[in-house]
Amino acid sequence: MGITTAGANHALGMLIAESLTSFANANANVGVGGGAGATTAFAIAQTDLQGASKTRKACDSTYPSRAAGVLTSRATFASGDANYVWDEAALFNAPSTGVMFHRVVSAAFFTKNAGITSAVLTLTLTVTPA
Amino acid sequence: MSTVPDSGGLNGTDAVAAWTSEQQSVIEAYRLDPMQADEDLVDTLVAFHDRDDTPDVADVAGMRVEATPNPAPAIEEGPHLQDPEIRATKRQQMIDAGMSADDESLTDDMREILREKG
């Protein structure tokens, strides 16, 4: 798990009020990926999920949220969404392209199929001063 | 600035249980045409009806899924179960599958069918 270079640069740009798209609820999307390439280890240069199958969903109401140094993002995947083995997930500021802020990889983390009414995916990112 | 993984809960390799598309196909085929039952039908119906519908959780550092399975359908309801021929077929299937009217895992309708005389 880690913050991408694009994500870090974006955060710095937001800090000095550059005209950038924020990761507020109106823009934030949680994406999941599976298939070939999805288990590729995190690298800071990545700008998108790595899997052959990728699905983004807009964040649920009130997400992303922050408490102390923890950013929490959450989205709900309905019955027909992303029905494959999930190996990775990430936070974006757009439903397509945009900036991938951070990405998590965990091989065969979860298997989604049509037998699931909803899958609520929550991503957490803890940032500590260093 | 640095990031640290959040503590995970359950082992992330714990797959979240769900009903397969094959199982759902069996259920749907039964609902459309109860007479077209295959030998696995009863087991599938019972498993589907008795499954645990509580959300399953997969959790690793920084990522967590809570999945809710589709609700179990009322598979034993419907006018087709009033058809004596269908009831007889179903009864035989359940007997062949080793079920008895004393099995508390079965629905009331299924136990009632098992109690009927062949």
Side-chain angles (χ1 to χ4, degrees), chain B residues 4-18:
Chain B
V4 296
D6 291 308
S7 59
L10 303 174
N11 188 325
T13 59
D14 289 344
V16 173

Side-chain angles (χ1 to χ4, degrees), chain A residues 50-74:
Chain A
Q50 302 296 295
S53 298
K54 292 176 279 194
T55 306
R56 296 189 197 184
K57 297 294 290 184
C59 276
D60 294 343
S61 176
T62 75
Y63 291 93
S65 62
R66 182 192 63 82
V70 180
L71 181 72
T72 302
S73 309
R74 195 185 87 176

Side-chain angles (χ1 to χ4, degrees), chain A residues 27-110:
Chain A
N27 308 316
N29 277 250
V30 168
V32 295
T39 57
T40 303
F42 171 74
I44 59 174
Q46 290 165 350
T47 58
D48 197 358
L49 292 163
Q50 302 296 295
S53 298
K54 292 176 279 194
T55 306
R56 296 189 197 184
K57 297 294 290 184
C59 276
D60 294 343
S61 176
T62 75
Y63 291 93
S65 62
R66 182 192 63 82
V70 180
L71 181 72
T72 302
S73 309
R74 195 185 87 176
T76 300
F77 292 76
S79 179
D81 297 329
N83 286 330
Y84 46 78
V85 177
W86 294 5
D87 296 313
E88 58 175 344
L91 175 65
F92 298 88
N93 65 348
S96 61
T97 62
V99 174
M100 181 171 74
F101 190 69
H102 68 107
R103 173 174 175 260
V104 188
V105 182
S106 180
F109 167 67
F110 172 69

Side-chain angles (χ1 to χ4, degrees), chain A residues 1-3 70 79 86 88-89 104-106 108-111 113-128 130, chain B residues 1-6 12-21 24 51 58-71:
Chain A
M1 179 177 71
I3 296 175
V70 180
S79 179
W86 294 5
E88 58 175 344
V104 188
V105 182
S106 180
F109 167 67
F110 172 69
T111 300
N113 65 31
I116 293 173
T117 301
S118 69
V120 178
L121 173 60
T122 303
L123 301 182
T124 53
L125 176 70
T126 301
V127 179
T128 56
Chain B
M1 184 166 65
S2 63
T3 62
V4 296
D6 291 308
T13 59
D14 289 344
V16 173
W19 292 95
T20 66
S21 56
Q24 292 176 74
R51 67 184 183 167
D59 195 359
V60 296
M63 184 162 57
R64 174 185 175 91
V65 171
E66 294 181 59
T68 303
N70 287 336

